[in-house]
Amino acid sequence: RFAGEAGDNGEETREVKKFESYKRETALPREAQGGKILVDERADSIILPIYGMSVPFHISTLKNISKNDEGEYVYLRLNMVSPGQGVGKKDNLPVGDLTSTFVRSLSFRSTDVARMTELYHSITTLKRDQVKRETEKQQMADIVQQDKLVPVQGQRPDRLPDVFMRPVADGKRFPAALEIHANGLRYMSAGRAGGTAVNILFNNIRHLFYQPCDYELLVLIHVHLKNPIMLGKKKIQDIQFYREASDASFDETGNRRRRIRYGDEDEIEAEQEERRRRRKLNKEFKEFAAKIAEASNHEVEVDTPFREVAFSGVPSRANVLLQPTVDCLVHLSDTPFFIITVADVEIVHLERVQFGLKNFDMVFVFKDFKRAPMHVNTVPMKQLDNVKEWLDSVNLA
């Protein structure tokens, strides 16, 4: 595992890919004759005149293109993908066949400014579309086709009404109900296009978290998936269902909510009302999370963050509260969500632990060495003992 399976240094072997624009010479467009540069969008290729011959180049072999004006001439420079160009080890591509010859760059000049400008924009657009398709293809590589959701027969499903979902499905936030069915969950989000059904199967749930609203503004149920699913055009692996615990939805200026008396009694009554509302929300969400675990035959277990051993840090941009659970280290209150499964971690390295410094950093190295390590920066030094105690409790060095 340390030596790597794909190469001697533990990295994947990358080679120059081969592309085929046309299977035979007769497949070239007729317009390619006459020493003209032609952009063939159907074949994703650029046909360039070289020594009086029309030579096709697939758009994937193009690295970049530049246009320069010098006097009455316009120059187009096409830089191609070839080995030995990369500045670093990551960018360099090894040669599969040592006898291969590579074209590194091609330059063309013309006095027809309009024609060269049109070619420049056409080639740039073709390259941008090709990069976009490749990026979408890579993002969709780990999308697994899910089974179909089996609705509950003969009875109404258990429902958690008036909850919001993150991330938002159609760009607007509408409350809807979360339902428990035979083999999964369904959230029917309302929207402009009549709503979107989000189905989450039990066999695709890796972690299910319930976080009460005792010290938070939200009470929530968070689902961390084994394999990502598509929500609209976005790939997501974390879905959260929440309800706001604050009384912001009430209009305090309304006649029904206003009291004639003012002072301490009114404040005490408002605090008691908020505590009752928070207890009711916690009970409702906790019972629904337990129903989810029961409906999955306990394939999915409910995990709750331990706020008593929490510590602050910066996993992304903002300083947030990181809370350990039985199996994970999480931050669920704000986006972007932060979830690390303890079973996936090989070792945790504490950096900048020195006398006189106020903060230190944590680096989580995963058992899958192809996965990039995750950093948690700016952890207060006064919480070092709590962090070490938690790491020892989950057998992480």
Side-chain angles (χ1 to χ4, degrees):
R1 183 165 68 95
F2 292 88
E5 299 176 359
D8 294 336
N9 56 357
E11 297 180 0
E12 292 185 25
T13 55
R14 298 168 66 238
E15 292 187 1
V16 178
K17 295 182 180 179
K18 295 182 180 180
F19 300 95
E20 187 178 51
S21 297
Y22 304 98
K23 292 188 177 181
R24 59 185 68 87
E25 189 176 349
T26 55
L28 267 75
R30 293 180 181 178
E31 298 85 356
Q33 307 300 325
K36 292 183 179 180
I37 301 176
L38 183 67
V39 179
D40 189 359
E41 296 180 356
R42 291 186 302 174
D44 287 335
S45 301
I46 312 165
I47 302 172
L48 304 175
I50 300 178
Y51 294 118
M53 298 178 60
S54 298
V55 182
F57 289 86
H58 197 275
I59 191 63
S60 298
T61 62
L62 178 69
K63 188 176 183 181
N64 53 51
I65 181 173
S66 62
K67 181 173 75 73
N68 296 317
D69 299 335
E70 293 184 10
E72 61 179 357
Y73 291 104
V74 179
Y75 287 82
L76 279 184
R77 180 181 174 90
L78 293 89
N79 297 313
M80 318 304 287
V81 176
S82 63
Q85 274 187 314
V87 178
K89 188 177 179 182
K90 182 180 178 182
D91 299 326
N92 199 9
L93 292 173
V95 184
D97 185 4
L98 296 177
T99 61
S100 301
T101 302
F102 291 89
V103 178
R104 183 159 291 186
S105 65
L106 292 164
S107 296
F108 298 89
R109 74 173 187 176
S110 173
T111 56
D112 191 347
V113 178
R115 170 66 178 162
M116 296 295 271
T117 304
E118 181 188 352
L119 284 172
Y120 174 75
H121 288 302
S122 299
I123 295 173
T124 304
T125 304
L126 188 63
K127 181 63 180 177
R128 185 176 64 244
D129 294 343
Q130 182 262 340
V131 170
K132 183 179 179 182
R133 287 197 304 270
E134 288 293 324
T135 304
E136 291 177 352
K137 186 178 178 182
Q138 290 177 2
Q139 290 179 347
M140 295 289 290
D142 55 349
I143 298 292
V144 178
Q145 186 68 32
Q146 289 196 104
D147 300 331
K148 289 188 177 181
L149 187 76
V150 179
V152 173
Q153 301 292 336
Q155 61 180 9
R156 291 188 63 184
D158 291 321
R159 302 170 80 247
L160 184 64
D162 298 328
V163 294
F164 298 96
M165 184 179 73
R166 289 195 295 193
V168 182
D170 291 331
K172 282 196 174 181
R173 202 173 68 122
F174 294 100
L178 180 64
E179 299 177 349
I180 302 177
H181 289 274
N183 64 337
L185 307 174
R186 168 171 285 174
Y187 180 85
M188 195 69 187
S189 62
R192 295 184 297 269
T196 304
V198 180
N199 297 329
I200 307 169
L201 301 185
F202 292 140
N203 58 12
N204 195 30
I205 297 178
R206 187 174 189 186
H207 299 296
L208 178 68
F209 301 103
Y210 154 71
Q211 181 173 289
C213 59
D214 295 334
Y215 303 95
E216 303 285 348
L217 297 175
L218 306 174
V219 56
L220 58 90
I221 291 175
H222 188 99
V223 179
H224 182 65
L225 303 175
K226 297 176 184 176
N227 301 304
I229 62 173
M230 295 300 295
L231 182 63
K233 294 183 179 180
K234 294 188 294 184
K235 183 178 72 171
I236 58 170
Q237 197 162 4
D238 290 279
I239 306 176
Q240 189 176 103
F241 306 98
Y242 68 94
R243 199 182 295 166
E244 295 177 355
S246 62
D247 203 14
S249 58
F250 279 98
D251 184 7
E252 292 289 345
T253 61
N255 293 328
R256 290 183 296 176
R257 295 290 298 171
R258 296 290 290 177
R259 303 291 187 187
I260 299 174
R261 66 180 185 275
Y262 298 93
D264 295 339
E265 293 183 5
D266 198 25
E267 291 183 7
I268 292 172
E269 184 178 343
E271 289 177 4
Q272 291 176 347
E273 175 65 27
E274 183 175 352
R275 280 197 291 269
R276 282 195 295 267
R277 187 170 60 254
R278 285 177 179 265
R279 283 197 298 268
K280 182 180 177 182
L281 282 173
N282 287 341
K283 181 181 178 183
E284 184 180 5
F285 272 68
K286 186 175 182 179
E287 289 177 352
F288 192 80
K291 289 178 182 178
I292 294 175
E294 186 178 350
S296 66
N297 294 324
H298 294 280
E299 292 180 9
V300 179
E301 293 293 343
V302 183
D303 210 352
T304 304
F306 302 124
R307 195 179 181 89
E308 298 79 15
V309 290
F311 56 91
S312 59
V314 183
S316 181
R317 296 174 184 171
N319 195 316
V320 298
L321 187 69
L322 302 173
Q323 303 181 74
T325 68
V326 175
D327 300 316
C328 303
L329 178 67
V330 301
H331 169 69
L332 307 174
S333 301
D334 302 302
T335 55
F337 305 123
F338 179 81
I339 297 174
I340 287 183
T341 305
V342 172
D344 295 344
V345 179
E346 176 81 19
I347 192 172
V348 179
H349 183 60
L350 304 181
E351 297 181 342
R352 298 194 302 125
V353 181
Q354 297 177 10
F355 179 75
L357 295 180
K358 294 183 179 180
N359 302 304
F360 67 95
D361 303 329
M362 302 175 65
V363 181
F364 293 84
V365 181
F366 296 99
K367 294 178 180 177
D368 181 9
F369 290 154
K370 295 179 182 178
R371 183 177 173 185
M374 295 188 72
H375 296 252
V376 176
N377 302 322
T378 324
V379 182
M381 193 66 73
K382 61 183 179 181
Q383 295 179 330
L384 178 61
D385 292 335
N386 291 343
V387 172
K388 287 183 176 180
E389 184 179 349
W390 170 68
L391 292 175
D392 289 339
S393 66
V394 293
N395 295 324
L396 284 177

